[in-house]
Amino acid sequence: MACCENNKNIKNACAGNRGTATDVTKVYIACEDDVTAIPAASAHVISTNITMAEDKTFFQWDIDPVGSSWKIDTIGDGQAQEYEFTGIYRIVGVAPAETYALDSLIKGNALFIQKDKNAHKMLVGALDDGATVKVAAANSPNAYTITVSYKGPHMPYFYTGTITIAEDV
């Protein structure tokens, strides 16, 4: 099964219970096979749009900021150093369609775009070297926990291009 074969936009199931929709963080995801080109970065910024395969887009996930976090660590020593990104995202509301979409995601690598607290978008993953994804679900707090991991030679690039997202179906 392809990584994004069953992917979909995932809306915040409990926005009314946790505040307003503006409280929800957005994460954008595309399978690495759906991306044909990532422009070169200049001064650690990709300012030109990512090129997607025909009829492919990013998907948008609504992430609960409570229980979601990310960090970047340096690993290794000397010339063998690289960066390790770990993002932990919580999606509230376990449901069949979301489970189906998330289940297919673990079978491949993906590219993620997330915003930091300064509203800067960061690209996690690279062409032909996407991030790996682990998914867990629990009845308390009735949510999925998605862990995104990526190791690379540099910190994630910032991205100022357009993010084309899938239409809701």
Side-chain angles (χ1 to χ4, degrees):
M1 177 186 311
C3 167
C4 283
E5 182 176 325
N6 304 315
N7 207 353
K8 64 185 267 336
N9 292 329
I10 298 177
K11 301 288 185 187
N12 184 6
C14 299
N17 298 331
R18 298 195 58 85
T20 66
T22 58
D23 295 332
V24 178
T25 303
K26 308 284 185 214
V27 174
Y28 305 91
I29 178 173
C31 284
E32 66 180 14
D33 294 343
D34 294 345
V35 176
T36 58
I38 298 174
S42 175
H44 221 77
V45 177
I46 298 170
S47 57
T48 307
N49 293 345
I50 293 171
T51 305
M52 304 297 291
E54 186 175 343
D55 297 327
K56 301 296 182 182
T57 63
F58 278 86
F59 292 91
Q60 176 181 289
W61 293 351
D62 289 347
I63 303 298
D64 184 353
V66 176
S68 296
S69 64
W70 62 270
K71 68 177 184 168
I72 302 168
D73 292 315
T74 305
I75 56 174
D77 295 309
Q79 295 297 317
Q81 285 185 336
E82 57 183 353
Y83 293 95
E84 181 175 43
F85 173 93
T86 304
I88 299 172
Y89 308 109
R90 185 163 72 176
I91 298 175
V92 177
V94 175
E98 286 73 10
T99 299
Y100 188 59
L102 293 169
D103 185 52
S104 69
L105 185 61
I106 66 169
K107 295 168 177 61
N109 292 339
L111 300 174
F112 284 80
I113 297 176
Q114 68 163 33
K115 290 183 180 178
D116 66 13
K117 288 187 177 184
N118 297 315
H120 298 294
K121 297 178 285 187
M122 298 185 336
L123 174 64
V124 178
L127 197 60
D128 299 322
D129 187 21
T132 58
V133 180
K134 293 182 181 177
V135 178
N139 69 336
S140 180
N142 188 35
Y144 302 95
T145 300
I146 294 96
T147 303
V148 175
S149 302
Y150 177 73
K151 291 180 185 175
H154 54 77
M155 287 187 168
Y157 289 133
F158 289 91
Y159 179 69
T160 60
T162 301
I163 303 171
T164 304
I165 60 170
E167 297 292 324
D168 286 328
V169 288

